[in-house]
Amino acid sequence: MYTNEKFKQLSLLQEGAGKNLPAKRVNIVSVKLLKETSIMYKNRAIQSPEDGYELMKEFLGEVDREHFLVVCLDTKNQPTSINVCHVGSLNASVVHPREVFKPAILSNAASLIVGHNHPSGQPEPSQEDINVTKRLSESGKIVGIELLDHIILGDDKFISLKEKGYL
């Protein structure tokens, strides 16, 4: 069933309305990834949540705010790119599936691992962490890029939401 707005759009198409309007310019664009820098990853492939934690920990270093990371993987679970999807406040980070999957699509990722740090040092997942994980997992099924894990980094420890049964 059409809403009023959709019905209005459909009727404009059917009636040929708008014939007296000037032409609309449409931009032709290309979308590319830009490599900012790189790091060496000695393990080559991510085979466990611990491997994902070590890579993210090395990448993040000591940050004072929550950083939400997207690690894109090829078909052999080798990392191809890391993207800082969002930088939050001291205790929150809001992410949307389109921002998470944008670098994955542009990187031709077969799968991905996401992760974020808890500046408090305690990696216990919040309800929002669990909800975001479920939403990203469903989105990944739609676009054909599997979410393998969501890792929460704390002070020298981590929690894998896959290991906790949320994926």
Side-chain angles (χ1 to χ4, degrees):
M1 176 171 215
Y2 290 108
T3 62
N4 286 342
E5 185 62 31
K6 290 202 185 249
F7 184 73
K8 182 179 172 185
Q9 290 173 347
L10 183 60
S11 67
L12 286 174
L13 287 172
Q14 290 171 340
E15 295 170 11
K19 288 185 179 179
N20 297 330
L21 295 177
K24 164 81 172 95
R25 180 168 299 279
V26 178
N27 295 327
I28 298 172
V29 300
S30 65
V31 180
K32 300 176 184 177
L33 278 179
L34 175 66
K35 181 175 92 172
E36 294 176 356
T37 187
S38 63
I39 61 174
M40 293 299 291
Y41 181 59
K42 64 180 182 196
N43 293 347
R44 303 235 7 122
I46 294 180
Q47 299 175 353
S48 68
E50 174 115 1
D51 290 345
Y53 163 72
E54 291 297 332
L55 176 61
M56 290 181 193
K57 181 179 166 188
E58 179 183 343
F59 177 79
L60 282 176
E62 297 293 324
V63 293
D64 64 345
R65 290 190 202 110
E66 194 166 292
H67 285 62
F68 195 95
L69 303 178
V70 178
V71 179
C72 300
L73 306 170
D74 66 14
T75 56
K76 296 177 182 176
N77 284 357
Q78 298 177 113
T80 58
S81 66
I82 300 174
N83 176 259
V84 177
C85 178
H86 185 76
V87 178
S89 64
L90 291 173
N91 61 359
S93 177
V94 180
V95 296
H96 192 279
R98 76 174 155 257
E99 300 305 320
V100 170
F101 284 95
K102 187 185 303 181
I105 291 167
L106 292 173
S107 296
N108 294 318
S111 59
L112 58 89
I113 296 174
V114 297
H116 71 280
N117 62 311
H118 278 179
S120 68
Q122 300 304 316
E124 299 305 319
S126 67
Q127 188 58 51
E128 182 61 20
D129 292 335
I130 294 164
N131 294 343
V132 163
T133 301
K134 290 178 180 176
R135 212 163 85 222
L136 293 176
S137 178
E138 290 302 312
S139 299
K141 290 174 186 170
I142 292 168
V143 297
I145 301 174
E146 183 181 3
L147 175 64
L148 298 180
D149 205 345
H150 182 166
I151 297 172
I152 303 174
L153 294 83
D155 289 340
D156 297 320
K157 55 188 170 183
F158 71 97
I159 287 183
S160 159
L161 293 184
K162 177 152 185 121
E163 286 182 338
K164 290 284 185 186
Y166 295 111
L167 271 174

